[in-house]
Amino acid sequence: MVKMFFNFLVRKDLIQENPLLEIAQLPKNQIVPFIFSPEETDLLINGVIKLMRRTERLYLGDFSAYISFLLMARCGLRISETLNLLKVNYMSEERTIYIEKTKFKKDRLIPIPKAVVAEINNLLNLRRLFDKEDNPLLLVKSDQTKIVKSYMGLKFKEVIKYINLYQPRKVIGTTNFCGPSPHSLRHSFAVNTLKRIKLQGKSPQNALPVLATYMGHSEYRYTTKYLKVLDAEHRHQMFDFSMSMREGI
């Protein structure tokens, strides 16, 4: 930004040359993920519920998609991890889910909130009414086919427009400000967890190894990227600042 400012002064003949020419450019394609605030996450989850179709042919698929969104938002799971879950991976009494053969080939057992347990139990009760065969997958449509990423993508776009949170991707200088996607729920879970830890007067840095294990990162250094964006408001401020600088120059 400072180098661009000096280039502007050179163009205006206010200085002879840019004193920062020897300083290297910032790395290309810096990614700033979209972050949902806790309130926006709740808004999205409630929007998914309101848009669920109540016909027998469509209800189970929409309910399964809702559980997938819930697991991403409340537990930080990857979308593929939710869609590949088996019924045997879910332990109701222990309130845990076992994630196996996932990215980086890391298996993990994670605790899940009571509210999520209640909703998964509701899904399993619903499946007893719909299932004509014992499909081992946890999330399926009424015809017993697997929920796929394209289906989730369509449901996500629908709810994002419904709650008026759609934002296109913006490239400003060397920074990519991503628009919302299903994976944003995983990013938001991590960022909002670290923010809660900080508000409790504890060190987010010290919590990274535990968070990395929970989220299934191969090394906790990959989790440090979440410290770059403190929360949804911080990301919004970064975006507004970048936009104002581009327009000003």
Side-chain angles (χ1 to χ4, degrees):
M1 287 294 184
V2 177
K3 184 182 290 187
M4 292 170 62
F5 173 71
F6 280 115
N7 283 338
F8 169 77
L9 296 181
V10 170
R11 292 197 302 271
K12 292 293 185 179
D13 292 325
L14 297 175
I15 60 176
Q16 294 297 314
E17 61 180 13
N18 189 333
L20 303 182
L21 283 179
E22 300 301 319
I23 297 179
Q25 291 282 349
L26 290 172
K28 298 294 183 182
N29 298 322
Q30 295 186 97
I31 305 297
V32 179
F34 185 92
I35 302 298
F36 292 101
S37 68
E39 295 76 19
E40 289 170 339
T41 300
D42 292 342
L43 185 65
L44 184 142
I45 293 300
N46 290 330
V48 173
I49 295 173
K50 291 179 181 178
L51 292 175
M52 287 169 60
R53 296 164 292 185
R54 265 52 180 185
T55 63
E56 182 176 340
R57 185 175 65 87
L58 301 170
Y59 186 56
L60 183 58
D62 283 3
F63 203 129
S64 293
Y66 161 63
I67 295 297
S68 177
F69 286 127
L70 200 61
L71 288 169
M72 285 186 276
R74 306 305 190 202
C75 305
L77 267 62
R78 302 177 179 93
I79 186 170
S80 59
E81 292 173 344
T82 69
L83 302 183
N84 291 326
L85 280 173
L86 303 177
K87 286 188 285 188
V88 296
N89 295 142
Y90 167 63
M91 281 69 78
S92 176
E93 293 298 323
E94 293 85 356
R95 298 205 302 270
T96 59
I97 283 182
Y98 182 61
I99 312 295
E100 59 179 337
K101 297 181 178 62
T102 186
K103 190 175 181 181
F104 306 120
K105 303 186 185 305
K106 288 178 68 69
D107 298 350
R108 65 193 194 276
L109 182 70
I110 65 170
I112 55 178
K114 290 182 179 180
V116 177
V117 170
E119 294 290 44
I120 296 177
N121 289 341
N122 288 338
L123 173 69
L124 293 175
N125 290 331
L126 179 66
R127 286 193 58 177
R128 294 187 182 98
L129 301 176
F130 280 93
D131 284 359
K132 296 180 175 59
E133 58 181 270
D134 190 21
N135 191 318
L137 287 170
L138 179 65
L139 306 180
V140 295
K141 297 181 182 179
S142 297
D143 61 0
Q144 296 300 304
T145 57
K146 181 181 179 180
I147 302 291
V148 295
K149 286 185 179 181
S150 58
Y151 180 84
M152 293 296 298
L154 291 174
K155 301 300 293 182
F156 184 83
K157 288 179 181 178
E158 182 183 24
V159 71
I160 283 296
K161 290 181 179 179
Y162 177 73
I163 63 176
N164 199 30
L165 275 182
Y166 172 75
Q167 293 181 25
R169 182 175 71 97
K170 289 278 189 181
V171 180
I172 305 174
T174 60
T175 303
N176 288 276
F177 288 91
C178 298
S181 70
H183 200 69
S184 301
L185 292 170
R186 176 173 161 87
H187 287 304
S188 302
F189 168 82
V191 170
N192 292 327
T193 297
L194 293 174
K195 182 181 179 182
R196 283 199 306 273
I197 291 171
K198 183 177 181 181
L199 290 175
Q200 292 169 1
K202 302 175 183 178
S203 169
Q205 187 75 39
N206 292 341
L208 287 176
V210 177
L211 183 62
T213 301
Y214 188 94
M215 299 187 70
H217 290 150
S218 60
E219 298 179 32
Y220 87 86
R221 63 188 176 89
Y222 294 125
T223 320
T224 60
K225 64 184 180 183
Y226 296 120
L227 292 176
K228 296 178 182 179
V229 183
L230 301 179
D231 54 26
E233 181 60 26
H234 178 225
R235 181 196 182 277
H236 183 71
Q237 292 169 355
M238 290 169 63
F239 179 78
D240 286 349
F241 174 76
S242 298
M243 286 291 293
S244 66
M245 291 299 295
R246 184 177 71 172
E247 293 169 359
I249 292 174

